[in-house]
Amino acid sequence: MRVNGAALELTIVAAAVCAAGAAFAWWFRQRRAALGLVLLLWLTLGLGVFGQGSPMPLPARIDWAAVAGSWLPWNLLLLAVLPGSTGRSIAAGWVALLAAQYAAAAWPGLDPAAINHGLVAAAPALLRPWLEPLEPLLVAGAAVVFFARWQRRSDAGELALCLTASLLLLAVVRPEWTAGAVFGSAGLLLGGVVYASHRMAFIDPLTGLANRRALEAALVNPGRRFALAMLDIDHFKRINDRHGHDFGDQVLRMVAARIRRHRRCRPFRYGGEEFCLLFRTADQALAKAWCEQIRTEVGGTPIVPRGPQRPVRRPLSKRKYRRAAPRLTVTVSIGLAVFGGRLDQVEAVLEAADKALYRAKRNGRDRVAVARG
């Protein structure tokens, strides 16, 4: 039976999307997601072009559709256990393995169905009812491994691979859903790669706040009613010198967490120990009141340096620990500028907020200074 034109066109489009997505993921160093998209490309070609009864025109007349479906559980499990630092050699080996699976289909002893049956037969008698069929268990195991890696690394690519494996599990259990599962999996992986790429470009990895590049994008069209505040941690160099850079990172994360709690502003990490707050209001008194709330909350939050007296994990009972552990506080200085009047340009507002910040630091720190004009 020949593949009809509509199915062929759809397959070509899907294959092009998977190939482009794999290249995009590899470029942004989402290597495992790239290999997942290569696997989906392999499935698309096998099930789409040669999946309607037309075997591949080779002497062995290998049925691509059968090979793609039968090796899918093992390929997913192998992808799940590949190392996180996947390099070119592993990627080349992965592609060579997929090609070899088609070539090996001419050998009856290498049939995945026979291999699975042999593994089940070799298992203890008590386990055989639980291991048959083996294919869904392999795919579910791959999904569990992807999920565990995502929990440990907080990587969007691993979450996308976990969801992909879960969706492909439907294709293993219900073969008639294979086409939809493959298309949905490609969308999930592409979405995960785009999300991870966006975080790489616009999110500060230490604090989780938007970075300076995101601030520049937000200030392209901020609107006619906004205020900018520059926030700086007081004596941050002294904190780093006295307690170490690890504690300095703790301080940055704590300040970022306190800023993020205030829904009235959009926070950015400007650089180093400096943050920028974007308020959607031109009311100077209101914006200053919000800045005072942030300053007070940061100054009233004690933080404990990590060391022999601080456990790595949070204890169940913290009362005794809180009495014994040394607690430090940090303060912040804030400079605020409101759009309007003399400050009728975004660059002027940013510069005025920066000058107000330095005035706050000259006047004793731990205060909010408002730009003149």
Side-chain angles (χ1 to χ4, degrees):
M1 185 192 316
R2 296 179 58 83
V3 181
N4 62 64
L8 181 59
E9 291 177 2
L10 186 61
T11 299
I12 292 175
V13 171
V17 170
C18 290
F24 179 73
W26 189 268
W27 177 263
F28 280 94
R29 299 185 180 277
Q30 298 291 313
R31 304 293 173 80
R32 288 160 53 76
L35 297 185
L37 284 162
V38 170
L39 175 59
L40 293 178
L41 172 62
W42 178 80
L43 287 168
T44 301
L45 292 175
L47 299 175
V49 177
F50 303 101
Q52 299 189 23
S54 175
M56 185 175 180
L58 291 176
R61 298 190 66 80
I62 301 171
D63 189 343
W64 278 44
V67 175
S70 58
W71 281 109
L72 174 60
W74 287 107
N75 287 329
L76 277 175
L77 188 60
L78 177 61
L79 180 60
V81 299
L82 282 179
S85 55
T86 303
R88 295 181 180 177
S89 58
I90 295 180
W94 174 257
V95 175
L97 175 65
L98 296 181
Q101 288 172 0
Y102 284 118
W107 300 84
L110 295 178
D111 180 23
I115 294 174
N116 296 342
H117 180 73
L119 291 175
V120 173
L126 291 176
L127 297 179
R128 289 174 195 168
W130 302 93
L131 295 178
E132 198 169 14
L134 185 62
E135 291 82 0
L137 294 178
L138 294 175
V139 179
V144 170
V145 175
F146 285 130
F147 182 79
R149 294 175 73 114
W150 170 60
Q151 288 290 305
R152 188 175 72 251
R153 298 176 54 195
S154 298
D155 188 344
E158 297 293 343
L159 176 60
L161 285 168
C162 174
L163 296 175
T164 294
S166 303
L167 193 56
L168 291 176
L169 179 60
L170 298 177
V172 174
V173 177
R174 300 289 296 271
E176 63 271 19
W177 294 351
T178 299
V182 171
F183 278 94
S185 299
L188 284 173
L189 273 182
L190 284 174
V193 171
V194 171
Y195 176 75
S197 305
H198 174 269
R199 287 191 62 84
M200 187 184 302
F202 294 103
I203 302 297
D204 174 58
L206 178 63
T207 62
L209 297 181
N211 60 17
R212 188 167 180 171
R213 182 180 299 174
L215 173 64
E216 293 172 354
L219 293 181
V220 170
N221 186 21
R224 305 299 298 176
R225 297 178 58 82
F226 72 95
L228 275 177
M230 299 300 296
L231 182 150
D232 188 86
I233 301 174
D234 297 329
H235 303 296
F236 188 72
K237 185 177 183 302
R238 185 186 303 173
I239 293 172
N240 272 334
D241 293 342
R242 182 174 299 177
H243 301 285
H245 291 281
D246 288 342
F247 180 68
D249 291 345
Q250 284 182 246
V251 171
L252 289 171
R253 286 192 290 265
M254 182 274 290
V255 173
R258 294 299 175 270
I259 295 173
R260 191 185 291 112
R261 292 176 60 179
H262 287 263
R263 304 300 182 185
R264 302 292 186 176
C265 71
R266 183 180 176 188
F268 303 85
R269 187 181 179 192
Y270 195 72
E273 69 273 21
E274 201 167 6
F275 299 84
C276 182
L277 313 177
L278 176 61
F279 297 96
R280 295 298 182 184
T281 181
D283 189 328
Q284 179 175 292
L286 186 59
K288 183 180 180 182
W290 290 337
C291 289
E292 289 286 1
Q293 290 178 8
I294 294 173
R295 181 191 64 83
T296 302
E297 186 167 347
V298 171
T301 302
I303 182 170
V304 180
R306 292 201 179 275
Q309 296 175 322
R310 176 171 177 171
V312 176
R313 296 183 179 180
R314 181 177 297 179
L316 296 177
S317 177
K318 296 180 286 186
R319 184 178 302 175
K320 180 179 179 181
Y321 165 68
R322 283 177 173 173
R323 289 198 300 265
R327 305 169 73 189
L328 304 175
T329 58
V330 297
T331 60
V332 295
S333 300
I334 302 176
L336 174 67
V338 179
F339 179 84
R342 183 177 62 85
L343 304 176
D344 57 354
Q345 300 292 328
V346 173
E347 295 78 7
V349 177
L350 189 59
E351 182 180 357
D354 200 48
K355 290 181 179 179
L357 170 63
Y358 282 99
R359 190 168 73 253
K361 297 179 81 68
R362 285 196 306 268
N363 291 339
R365 295 183 172 85
D366 191 19
R367 65 191 63 223
V368 177
V370 180
R372 300 184 180 95

